[in-house]
Amino acid sequence: MRVTLEQYTDSANLGRFAGICYGREGNDDTRLAHIISVGHLSVLRFGHVVFKVEGISRVCLAQLTRSKHLD
C-alpha cells in the first residue's frame, strides 16, 4: 500500500475561518491557538486533507468507505 499526502488545510486558514464566524480579523495563528486552548474544537471540522491511496484491496476500500470521518 502506498499513501501520499496531496493537499491539506493550512492552520492559518483555519484561524481565518474561525475569525469569519466571530466577525473578527487579526492574527489567524494566534486565534486558532486560543480557540483550541479553550476547547472550541468544532472549528477543526473545516479542515481537510486529501490522501492518494494506492495498492489496497477491495475489502480495505470497503472498510474505508464505511468510516464516518472519511467522506
Side-chain angles (χ1 to χ4, degrees):
M1 175 173 37
R2 182 176 167 179
V3 180
T4 308
L5 175 63
E6 296 288 325
Q7 185 178 11
Y8 63 94
T9 303
D10 188 282
S11 63
N13 281 336
L14 285 175
R16 186 171 58 89
F17 300 153
I20 292 169
C21 292
Y22 293 114
R24 297 182 181 155
E25 295 184 22
N27 186 321
D28 299 329
D29 286 326
T30 303
R31 180 182 298 113
L32 183 61
H34 171 72
I35 287 170
I36 291 172
S37 72
V38 297
H40 185 58
L41 303 179
S42 64
V43 172
L44 300 179
R45 291 184 292 167
F46 294 108
H48 71 276
V49 293
V50 177
F51 293 103
K52 179 179 180 181
V53 182
E54 300 174 284
I56 63 172
S57 68
R58 287 185 182 199
V59 173
C60 183
L61 180 60
Q63 292 300 318
L64 289 174
T65 57
R66 288 186 186 125
S67 297
K68 180 180 175 183
H69 59 282
L70 299 173
D71 14 355

